[in-house]
Amino acid sequence: MNSRALVVDDDTEMVSMLEVGLSSCGIQVTPCTTGRAALDEIAAHEFDVVVTDLNMRGMSGIELCEHICASRPNLPVVVITAFGSLDTAVGALRAGAYDFIAKPFQLDVLRLTLERAVRHRALRNELKVLRSALSTTRRFEELLGNSPAMRRVYDTLTRIGDADASVLVTGESGTGKELVARALHHCSRRSRGPFVAVNCAAVPEALLESELFGHARGAFTDAKAAKDGLFLQANGGTLLLDEIAELPLGLQPKLLRALQERTVRPVGADREIPFDVRLVTATNRDLESAVEERRFREDLFYRVNVIHVALPPLRDRGNDVLLLAQHFLERLGGPKAGLTGISAGAAARLLAYSWPGNVRELHNCMERAVALARFSEITVEDLPERVRDYTPARIIPEGDEPLVTMEEMERRYLLRVLDGAGGNKTLAAQILGLDRATLYRKLERYLRLKPADV
């Protein structure tokens, strides 16, 4: 554990036994035989957990627990007693004890309890740090996160803020691609101009050309007046084309010409109108595969993919989950409802969950938790069942076979299939259910890798 424990008991033999037993588990033990001496140690040194007997001469374990909780509320206390009645347990917990163990007990039981207590303390401290970090963390509009993956995104946005080059933002659904586009607009010289966004998949194909480029009066039925398209509405600012992979093939050459010439021709018009727009496109699809499958024009792909910003999934962002959860708690009115934060148990479940719906799913989870909360903190019971009961998948090796990373497992499988296909990459791609471009990229990456050191 590499933790520091303060062990308090007026029975010197018990203290010595616990010191030897816990030290063998990697816990650094400081022994004390009175409650007063324990308080002096706590005032002078840092500890991760306190273990105290309940019935001691002078200051009892209950009294010691009350003093510790008043002065060091984040220091967990585990109470040990030979009187394992329910009333005794309730009294210890009411005094602020983290847990209660009745004698006689197994050393492993105590060790596991201390490990949980130390993890509980670490999570509480992490939550405290993250709450204060909300006011100081680097923000790009609503983008939040201190993970290395997000810092790389911030660095890219800072470097390209004032450039006019087109930007392609990719990432799984719910990762915040539109937030990146808004952040890019906000930190650029175009921030005083308009920000206009359209979802290419949400507009019927027959109307999308008019939506993007505008139309002249009488261009089609009900076109009683001329209308500027989104390119002209975003003039001087930023235009986001979300779900760019869904852009109809027939419209792609017109978009390509508009980007090359920096002009648009409204439907039914006989003249072209210049525009000044920073184009940002976004997709959760693999555009390179779409090019390979001839669903997306290669020349348009290179035109929109001048600068690529890849958003990481939430499961790869570590403690950003808690930072975002605290942010959503405050934005959803948690403090007004008397909610002060997230319990350590709930935080542990949030960190363990895989978040297939990414940040959007986390927002929905916290909205539910705020609505259902009954206490001053979000508890495990307030979380959705899928989060409460989630168990990470574990691969159990057969015999003495060591575990390997998912990347190494995929590398081995791809090479095995390729070998079985006699080196025929087209056949291997068909067997794997991949398009050739995706297989080539994976092979290019994996053939540079050395086998995992297992």
Side-chain angles (χ1 to χ4, degrees), residues 418-447:
L418 184 61
D419 182 64
N424 186 320
K425 295 183 178 64
T426 301
L427 178 58
Q430 293 174 353
I431 295 172
L432 292 165
L434 302 174
D435 59 85
R436 287 185 300 165
T438 300
L439 177 61
Y440 291 160
R441 286 197 303 276
K442 288 180 179 292
L443 289 174
E444 182 181 4
R445 181 169 82 251
Y446 289 142
L447 288 177

Side-chain angles (χ1 to χ4, degrees), residues 40 89 105 154:
D40 291 341
F105 57 85
Y154 299 149

Side-chain angles (χ1 to χ4, degrees), residues 348-413:
R349 300 297 175 90
L350 293 175
L351 286 173
Y353 187 59
S354 64
W355 301 109
N358 292 293
V359 179
R360 185 182 295 122
E361 184 182 8
L362 176 59
H363 180 275
N364 292 344
C365 170
M366 293 306 298
E367 187 172 12
R368 177 190 189 277
V370 169
L372 296 179
R374 294 172 294 173
F375 305 105
S376 60
E377 291 184 321
I378 299 295
T379 66
V380 173
E381 289 70 25
D382 301 324
L383 303 177
E385 184 177 354
R386 65 182 181 278
V387 179
R388 292 198 310 265
D389 300 338
Y390 178 76
T391 302
R394 301 184 68 182
I395 301 175
I396 307 300
E398 296 182 2
D400 297 327
E401 182 183 351
L403 291 173
V404 297
T405 64
M406 182 64 74
E407 184 176 55
E408 172 64 12
M409 185 68 74
E410 185 180 54
R411 187 189 75 86
R412 294 180 183 181
Y413 183 63

Side-chain angles (χ1 to χ4, degrees), residues 2 88 215 253 255 334 340 391 425:
N2 297 321
T88 307
H215 61 258
L255 175 60
T340 59
T391 302
K425 295 183 178 64

Side-chain angles (χ1 to χ4, degrees), residues 130-209:
L130 290 173
R131 279 196 292 270
S132 64
L134 279 174
S135 60
T136 59
T137 188
R138 186 179 186 181
R139 293 187 181 216
F140 288 85
E141 289 286 291
E142 289 296 310
L143 282 178
L144 289 174
N146 291 322
S147 63
M150 287 305 295
R151 287 199 294 270
R152 287 192 291 271
V153 172
Y154 299 149
D155 178 65
T156 301
L157 295 182
T158 301
R159 293 164 62 189
I160 68 175
D162 285 332
D164 283 328
S166 299
V167 178
L168 173 64
V169 184
T170 61
E172 296 178 7
S173 179
T175 50
K177 295 184 289 295
E178 183 169 343
L179 292 180
V180 169
R182 290 183 180 277
L184 184 58
H185 173 73
H186 181 74
C187 68
S188 74
R189 60 181 176 79
R190 297 176 177 270
S191 58
R192 294 183 179 275
F195 177 87
V196 179
V198 61
N199 187 325
C200 296
V203 181
E205 182 175 348
L207 301 178
L208 188 54
E209 181 179 359

